[in-house]
Amino acid sequence: MKATLKNLIIASAIPFLLSLAGCAKSKEITGTWYWKSATGNTELYLVQKGKQITGNYCSSFGNGSKLDCKETDADNAISLNLITENVYEGTVKSGINDAVINIRIILKPDNQSLYLEQLSQPNEEYYLPNKATFTLN
């Protein structure tokens, strides 16, 4: 009888624990992500809602002489959709002009990092790292 009660408690707890793990995972991408190099830095301000991510960003290159920012606006500069688990693809719209950069973001929850890769490089002027690993702050 005790073993049956124990099994029932464990079976009841599993869905609850899995739901907690799912909640934590979905919230990991919402926040401010940072990347820094010797000549520049970029901040991504991301919000996840289900399978979509929106947000804005600010990039500084040339030791601060080149800025590309879209921090607050009615429209989001970043628009991404879930492709597969932890992989999102979409676009970033430059704050300098209307250049649209196709990007892929891969969330790495094990080390709380995010990998950004440009999938296209428009001819217009913009500042965004081609490939970079961001950390959550």
Side-chain angles (χ1 to χ4, degrees):
M1 196 67 139
K2 287 182 181 181
T4 305
L5 181 58
K6 182 179 176 183
N7 290 343
L8 181 61
I9 292 170
I10 291 171
S12 299
I14 290 173
F16 173 72
L17 293 173
L18 289 174
S19 72
L20 288 178
C23 288
K25 192 173 191 177
S26 68
K27 291 182 180 179
E28 287 182 47
I29 205 157
T30 295
T32 302
W33 295 84
Y34 296 95
W35 168 81
K36 187 173 184 175
S37 75
T39 60
N41 63 66
T42 300
E43 294 180 7
L44 304 175
Y45 315 107
L46 303 176
V47 177
Q48 181 176 359
K49 292 182 182 175
K51 296 180 180 184
Q52 296 182 325
I53 297 171
T54 57
N56 289 301
Y57 74 101
C58 190
S59 284
S60 170
F61 282 85
N63 295 314
S65 65
K66 304 286 186 178
L67 290 175
D68 188 352
C69 295
K70 210 160 181 174
E71 296 177 276
T72 57
D73 195 48
D75 297 324
N76 290 302
I78 300 170
S79 179
L80 305 166
N81 291 302
L82 180 68
I83 302 301
T84 61
E85 185 177 359
N86 295 328
V87 178
Y88 299 83
E89 289 185 0
T91 59
V92 173
K93 189 173 181 181
S94 173
I96 297 174
N97 53 45
D98 288 335
V100 175
I101 306 105
N102 294 309
I103 64 167
R104 175 181 299 126
I105 284 181
I106 302 170
L107 176 64
K108 299 182 179 188
D110 55 327
N111 66 354
Q112 297 182 342
S113 67
L114 179 149
Y115 177 75
L116 179 144
E117 175 183 18
Q118 289 186 32
L119 302 176
S120 68
Q121 287 85 35
N123 293 327
E124 297 91 352
E125 182 179 14
Y126 70 94
Y127 298 98
L128 189 69
N130 188 28
K131 295 179 181 180
T133 300
F134 289 74
T135 56
L136 184 62
N137 192 11

